Amino acid sequence: MLKPALVKSLRVTPGKRFRLKEHDPGWRETHKLKKLGKKITKAKAQEILADDLARLAAAQEMLWAGDSQAVLIILQGMDACGKDGTIRHVMSSLNPQGCEVHAFKQPTEEEAHHNFLWRYARVLPERGRIGIFNRSYYEDVLVARVRPEVMASGRSPAVKPNKAFWQNRYDDINTFERHLTRNGMVILKFFLHISKAEQRRRFLDRLEDPQKLWKFSASDLADRARWADFARAYEAALTATSTAWAPWYVIPADAKWGCRALVADIVTHAIEALGLRYPQPSAKERRTLEKARKELRRE
C-alpha cells in the first residue's frame, strides 16, 4: 500500500487554485513522488497493484453483501491518457455482477432533450455496486467549454456561456455530488495527467500498429491542437469542483504502471475505509439457519 502522504500529495486541495504546471505527468521524473514513495520502481508498483487487486476484490464482496453504500469512480483526461487501460487493469479483479462501466460519447437525441446531468444520473450505481464513468458529466464543463459548437448542438435554453454560466454548472455538479455522498455514495475522481509528448508517442503507436488504428480519430488531432485551451478548462473545473466530499486526484499518467498502481491503491483504501462488515443474521434468522443446517445434515 502506498504511503498516505504520497496519496495526499495527489489530491487537489478544496478551495485552492489548481495549476497543471505544479503536477508532473511523469513518474520517475516526479521529485515529489520519489521523495514520498521512496523511489518506487516499476516492479514495486506492480507488486503494490497485485496486492491492491486482491484486497479490492475482498472489499467489493463486503460492499455487495452490505448493500448499503455505492462507489462511483470517475476517469477524466486528455485523449490517450489511459482511461481504458486503467479500467481493464485496475478493475480486473472485480466481480462483474457488482461492477458496471459507462463510457459517454456525444448525447443521443433523447439525452439532448434533458438537462446535462440527466443521462449520468440514470446510470448511477445502485447500493452495493461500483460504477465507473469513462468520461462523465465533467465533459459538459470541459469539451463544451473548449468547443462551443457542442453547446450549440444541445437543446438547453438559449444562454451565453460566460463566466457566470460555467460557475453555475460547477455549482450544479457540486450540489449533485453532495446529494449523492449524503445518500451513501463514495465518489472518487481521477484526472489522468498525460504530457503532450507522451500523447504524441501513443498516437503514433496507434497509427503505426494495424491492430490499433481503430483507436485513432481525426478529432484527436483537432483536440490536440487546442491543448492549451483544454488545460485551462481542466484547471478551472478541478479548482471549482474538488470538494471535501468529492475531491479530485491528479494521477501522473505518462507511465501506465505508475498510474494503475495509484488508482488501484486509492480506490482500495477508500472502500476499506468504510469499515464494511458482512451482515450478521438476527437471533431469529440464526434459529432458522440452524434449523436448515440440521435438516441438510440429516439428508
Side-chain angles (χ1 to χ4, degrees):
M1 190 166 185
L2 297 171
K3 288 192 172 185
L6 189 156
V7 175
K8 183 179 179 181
S9 74
L10 304 174
R11 191 182 303 128
V12 178
T13 304
K16 181 181 178 181
R17 184 177 179 184
F18 167 67
R19 295 175 181 272
L20 275 173
K21 66 180 182 181
E22 296 176 359
H23 294 263
D24 192 330
W27 177 268
R28 297 181 181 86
E29 298 79 8
T30 302
H31 175 72
K32 183 186 295 183
L33 294 180
K34 281 184 178 181
K35 182 178 179 181
L36 295 171
K38 300 297 183 182
K39 297 182 180 179
I40 295 176
T41 62
K42 181 176 181 179
K44 181 62 177 178
Q46 291 174 334
E47 180 183 323
I48 291 172
L49 176 60
D51 177 66
D52 280 330
L53 293 185
R55 288 167 43 218
L56 183 56
Q60 184 206 15
E61 187 172 344
M62 283 191 285
L63 180 73
W64 174 266
D67 196 27
S68 61
Q69 293 177 283
V71 176
L72 174 63
I73 299 169
I74 292 175
L75 299 176
Q76 290 285 160
M78 303 289 198
D79 293 324
C81 67
K83 295 184 294 297
D84 292 337
T86 298
I87 292 171
R88 186 168 60 253
H89 286 81
V90 175
M91 309 306 163
S92 61
S93 66
L94 298 181
N95 183 339
Q97 293 185 91
C99 180
E100 52 198 41
V101 179
H102 297 280
F104 297 96
K105 306 294 184 181
Q106 184 175 342
T108 64
E109 184 72 13
E110 178 187 19
E111 291 167 344
H113 279 86
H114 293 269
N115 69 76
F116 82 96
L117 289 170
W118 181 81
R119 67 171 175 157
Y120 309 100
R122 65 200 295 260
V123 292
L124 288 168
E126 302 172 5
R127 289 187 175 90
R129 299 175 68 88
I130 297 174
I132 304 165
F133 283 4
N134 182 345
R135 299 190 184 276
S136 66
Y137 41 86
Y138 282 97
E139 293 292 285
D140 291 87
V141 292
L142 294 168
V143 175
R145 186 162 189 170
V146 175
R147 294 199 265 119
E149 67 274 13
V150 173
M151 182 71 67
S153 66
R155 289 180 168 78
S156 56
V159 293
K160 183 178 180 181
N162 53 21
K163 184 177 180 180
F165 173 85
W166 297 115
Q167 186 58 54
N168 286 338
R169 284 213 163 176
Y170 298 145
D171 292 343
D172 289 341
I173 288 173
N174 288 338
T175 301
F176 178 63
E177 292 180 341
R178 186 61 182 267
H179 168 72
L180 296 178
T181 57
R182 282 174 169 168
N183 285 272
M185 185 172 293
V186 175
I187 302 176
L188 300 170
K189 303 183 296 192
F190 300 99
F191 169 58
L192 306 190
H193 185 22
I194 187 176
S195 66
K196 194 173 184 180
E198 178 61 17
Q199 186 195 61
R200 175 180 177 274
R201 189 193 69 76
R202 293 183 188 180
F203 278 172
L204 285 173
D205 182 55
R206 292 177 179 182
L207 289 169
E208 293 170 359
D209 185 341
Q211 295 183 358
K212 294 182 179 180
L213 288 174
W214 64 273
K215 292 185 176 183
F216 190 83
S217 169
S219 63
D220 293 340
L221 280 185
D223 285 347
R224 178 176 168 82
R226 306 194 68 172
W227 184 277
D229 294 330
F230 275 102
R232 284 190 290 270
Y234 269 105
E235 288 181 336
L238 269 64
T239 296
T241 61
S242 189
T243 59
W245 55 90
W248 277 100
Y249 292 90
V250 182
I251 307 297
D254 275 7
K256 295 178 181 179
W257 51 268
C259 172
R260 293 163 184 169
L262 285 171
V263 172
D265 200 76
I266 293 171
V267 172
T268 301
H269 179 74
I271 299 178
E272 289 181 339
L274 296 174
L276 300 172
R277 297 290 184 272
Y278 287 110
Q280 296 300 311
S282 64
K284 181 178 179 180
E285 289 171 331
R286 285 181 183 278
R287 289 193 294 271
T288 301
L289 293 172
E290 179 61 20
K291 181 180 179 180
R293 183 180 65 85
K294 290 179 178 180
E295 289 181 2
L296 287 170
R297 283 188 171 182
R298 283 197 299 265
E299 288 185 1

